[in-house]
């Protein structure tokens, strides 16, 4: 089974571009708010110390249950040590510029390349922090719902939801991160939901100084949380029906060199699609249960009408329960043609589009409800999640000279790389909140 692949983008400017007159003023780029890396508890890992980072916590001592008896030595209270480990990942990205583009394009290409790579680096760190946060089991569903699939369009984030979350964190002993406030992050749509919440509006209209938050479409400090906004938080929706279809194939249709799943057994699959700009899994298909009365393999077909992009196929083992689908493979799909992959129980596949199902890998995200866009927010106390890096950020520029791979000095490249990892330190000290929004 392949592991998560590193980011590796290549963009080469066409030599045809200089034929068009370019104005001095460049168009504005869309900006993304990157806040999560800054909110993580940091811990740098020294060089030559391996790829595994470890955070350590001494747990609270249990309280004695009864007073001591005279002359009797009580039982010693054990000290408990908890550790959290993660393996650091290396991320790399670069851009390539031809010598013709450097000579003829009006704008300073290296300056633009550095700016773009800086934004890309910051957004990558921010995304990977969120990927970890989205995997935590510490979740609250707006409207006090019990699962993502139960959310309705009426379940927008309200003041009572924040009260429940903050009360729960305080009850577990979580400490505020910013004075008396916990850190909170919402997307622009949920910001709108809170700004229109009846309790919030009433407070703003009754207190002159607080009225500013309504005028400026702001939240600030509210219900024990200091709120920030990020427009890089993904919005999750149900995948269009028919974009991904699983089916049992039997007999001679089972891929060569492979053994299918047992007759009458059940295998559950799920497909997701990555957002092309951010790499988040924003489109999630409903889980499918595949079974038949003979030995079978599973075909997963991405329809010709499905959007171009990267799809991720998850599967349980034979007889696996709902929600235990693990990552099997990534598929690059292009609209206009159908893409087919096969999942088998065991064997040595002869074809590249066949995969033996394993029980390892990341677990598939829960399926969202039909017709409701799921928005994600966070309330975080001290020690909720951390991030560590090895060696820090490194940047490189290839020299303007000939080399074995570029004998005529036709290209220059600008790149960055960094080894880092985010991880949940204590799930009791923060909450991921999932909700609908009136504005999306």
């Amino acid at each position: 089974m392949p592991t998560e692949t590193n980011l590796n983008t290549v963009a080469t400017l066409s030599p045809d571009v200089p034929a068009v007159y370019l104005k001095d003023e460049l168009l504005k780029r869309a900006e993304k708010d990157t806040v999560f890396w800054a909110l993580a508890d940091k811990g740098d890992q020294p060089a030559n110390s391996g790829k595994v980072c470890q955070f350590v916590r001494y747990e609270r001592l249990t309280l004695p249950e009864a007073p001591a008896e005279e002359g009797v030595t009580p039982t010693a209270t054990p000290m408990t040590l908890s550790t959290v480990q993660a393996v650091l990942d290396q991320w790399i990205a670069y851009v390539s510029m031809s010598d013709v583009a450097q000579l003829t394009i009006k704008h300073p290409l290296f300056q633009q390349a550095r700016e773009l790579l800086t934004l890309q680096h910051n957004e990558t760190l921010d995304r990977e922090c969120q990927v970890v946060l989205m995997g935590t089991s510490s979740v609250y569903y707006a409207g006090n719902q019990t699962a993502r699939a139960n959310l309705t369009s009426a379940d927008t984030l309200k003041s009572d939801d924040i009260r429940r979350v903050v009360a729960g964190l305080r009850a577990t002993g979580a400490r505020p991160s910013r004075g008396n406030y916990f850190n909170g992050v919402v997307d622009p749509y949920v910001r709108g939901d809170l700004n229109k919440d009846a309790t919030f509006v009433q407070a703003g209209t009754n207190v002159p100084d607080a009225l500013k938050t309504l005028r400026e479409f702001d939240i600030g400090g509210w219900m024990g949380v200091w709120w920030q906004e990020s427009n890089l938080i993904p919005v999750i929706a149900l995948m269009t029906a028919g974009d991904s279809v699983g089916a049992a194939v039997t007999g001679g249709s089972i891929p060569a060199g492979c053994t299918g799943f047992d007759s009458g057994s059940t295998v559950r699959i799920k497909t997701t699609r990555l957002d092309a700009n951010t790499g988040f899994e924003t489109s999630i298909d409903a889980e499918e249960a595949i079974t038949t009365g003979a030995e079978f393999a599973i075909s997963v077909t991405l329809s010709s009408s499905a959007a171009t992009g990267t799809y991720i196929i998850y599967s349980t083992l034979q007889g696996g329960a709902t929600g235990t689908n693990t990552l099997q493979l990534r598929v690059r799909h292009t609209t206009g043609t159908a893409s087919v992959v096969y999942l088998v129980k065991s064997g040595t596949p002869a074809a590249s589009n066949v995969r033996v199902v394993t029980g390892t890998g990341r677990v598939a995200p829960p399926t969202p409800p039909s017709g409701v866009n799921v928005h994600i927010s966070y309330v975080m106390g001290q020690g909720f999640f951390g991030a560590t890096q090895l060696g820090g950020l490194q940047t490189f520029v290839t020299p303007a000279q000939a080399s074995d791979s570029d004998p005529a000095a036709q290209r220059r490249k600008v790149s960055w790389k960094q080894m880092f990892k985010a991880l949940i330190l204590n799930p009791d000290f923060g909450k991921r909140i999932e909700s609908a929004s009136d504005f999306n």
Side-chain angles (χ1 to χ4, degrees):
M1 185 193 74
T3 58
E4 295 291 322
T5 56
N6 286 350
L7 180 67
N8 189 352
T9 56
V10 183
T12 303
L13 294 171
S14 168
D16 295 331
V17 171
V20 179
Y21 176 73
L22 300 180
K23 296 185 69 69
D24 290 330
E25 184 177 355
L26 294 169
L27 298 174
K28 300 298 183 185
R29 287 188 289 267
E31 293 185 0
K32 295 295 183 182
D33 305 313
T34 53
V35 302
F36 287 91
W37 180 262
L39 295 176
D41 291 348
K42 304 297 193 309
D44 290 346
Q45 186 146 331
N48 305 315
S49 59
K51 294 172 58 178
V52 178
C53 62
Q54 177 172 280
F55 288 81
V56 179
R57 176 177 62 250
Y58 286 89
E59 301 292 356
R60 293 177 59 254
L61 297 177
T62 57
L63 304 183
E65 296 179 352
E69 298 180 25
E70 184 176 350
V72 177
T73 302
T75 302
T77 303
M79 294 177 62
T80 304
L81 181 68
S82 295
T83 60
V84 181
Q85 290 185 342
V87 179
L88 276 68
D89 298 320
Q90 185 180 61
W91 295 83
I92 299 173
Y94 69 92
V95 294
S96 179
M97 293 162 286
S98 73
D99 56 345
V100 176
Q102 295 172 58
L103 288 171
T104 57
I105 285 186
K106 187 173 189 175
H107 306 117
L109 287 187
F110 276 96
Q111 177 183 335
Q112 291 299 314
R114 285 194 297 267
E115 291 179 7
L116 291 171
L117 286 167
T118 298
L119 293 173
Q120 182 194 49
H121 165 264
N122 294 344
E123 291 173 15
T124 301
L125 264 64
D126 207 72
R127 182 193 65 192
E128 291 307 299
C129 287
Q130 291 188 62
V131 167
V132 169
L133 292 171
M134 290 169 65
T136 179
S137 58
S138 182
V139 190
Y140 173 83
Y141 301 98
N144 215 17
Q145 297 285 7
T146 57
R148 175 183 285 181
N150 295 340
L151 289 171
T152 70
S153 58
D155 293 319
T156 60
L157 188 61
K158 301 178 178 65
S159 292
D160 275 352
D161 294 310
I162 304 171
R163 286 186 176 107
R164 290 190 189 99
V165 169
V166 172
L169 292 177
R170 287 175 173 166
T172 60
R175 298 179 182 179
S177 307
R178 182 175 178 149
N180 293 324
Y181 290 105
F182 291 90
N183 280 320
V185 188
V186 294
D187 71 14
Y189 302 106
V190 177
R191 177 179 180 173
D193 293 319
L194 286 179
N195 192 262
K196 67 164 279 190
D197 174 67
T199 306
F200 186 85
V201 172
Q202 184 179 16
T205 54
N206 289 341
V207 181
D209 289 342
L211 184 60
K212 180 181 178 183
T213 62
L214 295 176
R215 290 197 303 263
E216 297 182 358
F217 192 43
D218 198 4
I219 305 173
W222 184 244
M223 292 294 163
V225 182
W226 190 268
W227 296 98
Q228 300 181 65
E229 178 188 298
S230 171
N231 61 354
L232 192 56
I233 300 177
V235 179
I236 299 169
L238 186 67
M239 186 178 291
T240 302
D243 278 3
S244 175
V245 178
V249 296
T250 60
S253 296
I254 296 176
C258 299
T259 300
F261 302 101
D262 294 348
S263 169
S265 64
T266 300
V267 179
R268 304 173 190 277
I269 64 170
K270 180 180 284 192
T271 303
T272 66
R273 184 175 68 245
L274 302 184
D275 180 273
N277 292 318
T278 64
F280 283 115
E281 292 174 276
T282 54
S283 183
I284 302 174
D285 199 15
E287 184 181 87
E288 296 182 74
I290 311 297
T291 185
T292 191
E295 179 189 343
F296 67 97
I298 296 174
S299 66
V300 182
T301 302
L302 304 177
S303 75
S304 59
S305 60
T308 294
T310 299
Y311 290 73
I312 299 182
I313 311 297
Y314 295 87
S315 175
T316 68
L317 294 171
Q318 178 177 291
T322 294
T324 62
N325 321 63
T326 54
L327 172 64
Q328 301 303 311
L329 74 161
R330 294 173 177 240
V331 180
R332 181 64 185 173
H333 173 71
T334 303
T335 301
T337 59
S339 301
V340 183
V341 297
Y342 295 90
L343 304 176
V344 297
K345 180 182 177 182
S346 61
T348 305
S352 60
N353 65 334
V354 181
R355 181 59 44 82
V356 174
V357 171
T358 68
T360 59
R362 191 180 68 221
V363 176
T367 303
S370 177
V372 177
N373 289 332
V374 177
H375 295 258
I376 298 175
S377 309
Y378 297 94
V379 176
M380 298 175 282
Q382 293 182 36
F384 175 47
F385 86 107
T388 189
Q389 58 183 343
L390 177 60
L393 172 66
Q394 295 178 280
T395 59
F396 306 92
V397 178
T398 58
Q401 62 187 38
S403 65
D404 286 344
S405 62
D406 185 17
Q410 294 173 288
R411 294 176 300 277
R412 293 192 70 186
K413 296 180 175 67
V414 184
S415 63
W416 65 266
K417 70 177 181 180
Q418 185 171 4
M419 289 192 70
F420 67 91
K421 191 71 172 184
L423 64 165
I424 299 295
L425 302 178
N426 191 329
D428 292 335
F429 289 174
K431 283 285 185 184
R432 182 176 83 249
I433 302 173
E434 300 194 1
S435 66
S437 175
D438 284 339
F439 302 100
N440 181 243

